[in-house]
């Protein structure tokens, strides 16, 4: 039984995707491309080439998305995962989301696979820059290069530390929980294979079964904001 597997787990690895934040009202990249932004394509807004082409445009787009995300709150799914870390010996949370909502809900050991919307980095060297959210594109105090948002853009590599830690976690865990992700975007989608090969129990929670649902030991269909609290509360019984 899933509850027993979770109760017995030594190290739980959780992978989350956009679905976990859907009930908070965080728009997906596509959903956010409305109104003023509908005329731009993702290449212009979320690639290094697009940024070099028009830094102020890309900076405005990310400022606008930061504002949207600042106005939403973590939902019961985020809170349940924060609670789970207190109920199992070890939990590592890998998220593809850039919204920081897991941390706001209280999760500690969060690996941000695709970076963070609110982090600023030097475009040339990648170092983190502690700056307020300037209206115009800030420049790096070290080298004068433009400052960019610390997210992983299309065509960019996953940050090495996040990649290595995530795959090491997948190989070490004995329960792997995939929540609110289509499991289509690699390399994150490959984590479950590593966990399965290492003998972990695998669980999918998604609004509807994904096309890989039958490869998981358990596939639960429904809202993560409802199913996660139910599952985690059942541990206390
Ligand atoms: N509860 C659970 N699952 C949900 C909910 C919900 N309330 N709402 C939506 N979902 C599911 C959808 O059914 C879908 O399978 O969440 C999944 C979201 O899939 P994607 O939009 O593909 O998001 P994700 O898997 O996070 O995408 C990975 O791709 O677009 C890039 O960089 C972006 O990080 C993102 C990556």
């Amino acid at each position: 039984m899933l509850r027993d597997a979770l109760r017995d787990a030594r190290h739980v690895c959780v992978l989350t995707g956009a679905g976990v934040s859907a009930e908070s009202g965080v728009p997906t990249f596509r959903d956010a491309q409305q109104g003023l932004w509908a005329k731009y394509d993702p290449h212009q807004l979320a690639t290094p080439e697009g940024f070099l082409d028009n830094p102020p445009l890309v900076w405005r787009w990310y400022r606008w998305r930061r504002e949207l995300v600042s106005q939403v709150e973590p939902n019961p799914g985020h809170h349940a995962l924060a609670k789970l870390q207190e109920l199992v010996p070890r939990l590592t949370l890998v998220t593809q989301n850039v919204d920081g909502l897991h941390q706001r809900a209280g999760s500690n050991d969060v690996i941000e696979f695709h970076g963070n919307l609110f982090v600023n980095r030097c475009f040339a060297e990648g170092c983190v820059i502690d700056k307020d959210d300037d209206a115009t594109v800030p420049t790096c105090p070290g080298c004068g290069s433009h400052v960019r948002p610390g997210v992983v853009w299309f065509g960019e590599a996953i940050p090495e530390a996040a990649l290595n830690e995530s795959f090491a976690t997948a190989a070490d865990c004995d329960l792997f929980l995939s929540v609110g992700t289509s499991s289509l975007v690699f390399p994150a989608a490959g984590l479950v294979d590593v966990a399965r090969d290492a003998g972990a129990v695998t669980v999918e929670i998604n609004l509807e079964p994904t096309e890989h649902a039958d490869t998981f030991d358990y596939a639960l269909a429904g809202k993560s904001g409802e199913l996660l609290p139910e599952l985690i509360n059942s541990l206390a019984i």
Side-chain angles (χ1 to χ4, degrees):
M1 218 175 136
L2 173 55
R3 190 183 67 180
D4 297 325
L6 196 52
R7 196 174 267 160
D8 294 343
R10 171 188 52 82
H11 186 180
V12 176
C13 176
V14 184
L15 172 68
T16 64
V20 170
S21 291
E23 289 159 74
S24 291
V26 175
T28 61
F29 188 89
R30 285 279 173 199
D31 287 342
Q33 255 190 288
Q34 31 155 298
L36 171 67
W37 301 105
K39 60 177 184 265
Y40 301 105
D41 68 29
H43 185 87
Q44 287 171 287
L45 299 174
T47 65
E49 297 78 20
F51 182 71
L52 280 177
D53 201 40
N54 193 343
L57 171 76
V58 175
W59 189 254
R60 277 204 308 279
W61 157 248
Y62 279 93
R63 265 178 64 86
W64 184 71
R65 288 185 62 203
R66 283 175 178 180
E67 271 164 38
L68 287 184
V69 171
S70 301
Q71 287 160 18
V72 307
E73 296 295 332
N75 67 57
H78 296 108
H79 289 297
L81 289 174
K83 186 170 169 192
L84 182 60
Q85 77 193 356
E86 289 158 21
L87 300 175
V88 294
R90 186 162 175 216
L91 183 141
T92 309
L93 204 169
V94 182
T95 187
Q96 298 166 88
N97 300 339
V98 296
D99 53 36
L101 288 178
H102 286 301
Q103 293 92 327
R104 280 172 59 192
S107 283
N108 295 325
D109 205 357
V110 181
I111 299 174
E112 293 181 310
F113 211 74
H114 291 160
N116 187 301
L117 190 56
F118 296 93
V119 168
N120 290 320
R121 289 189 180 276
C122 168
F123 182 81
E125 289 163 0
C127 53
V128 173
I129 294 171
D130 195 12
K131 277 233 164 201
D132 285 338
D133 205 4
D134 301 52
T136 53
V137 194
T139 50
C140 171
C143 72
S145 169
H146 284 311
V147 170
R148 59 166 284 178
V151 298
V152 176
W153 279 330
F154 295 112
E156 289 191 309
I158 306 301
E160 204 179 325
L163 190 69
N164 292 342
E165 283 169 36
S166 300
F167 277 88
T169 298
D172 181 65
C173 73
D174 46 9
L175 192 138
F176 185 94
L177 183 57
S178 173
V179 198
T181 173
S182 54
S183 297
L184 290 176
V185 179
F186 282 86
L191 288 169
V192 65
D193 300 322
V194 172
R196 186 184 302 110
D197 289 350
V201 174
T202 57
V203 186
E204 172 181 284
I205 293 182
N206 204 71
L207 199 53
E208 52 201 27
T210 67
E211 54 184 80
H212 302 293
D214 58 357
T215 66
F216 285 80
D217 295 313
Y218 299 90
L220 313 185
K223 292 183 174 179
S224 53
E226 293 171 4
L227 293 180
L228 282 172
E230 268 173 37
L231 179 63
I232 278 111
N233 288 337
S234 76
L235 286 183
I237 297 167

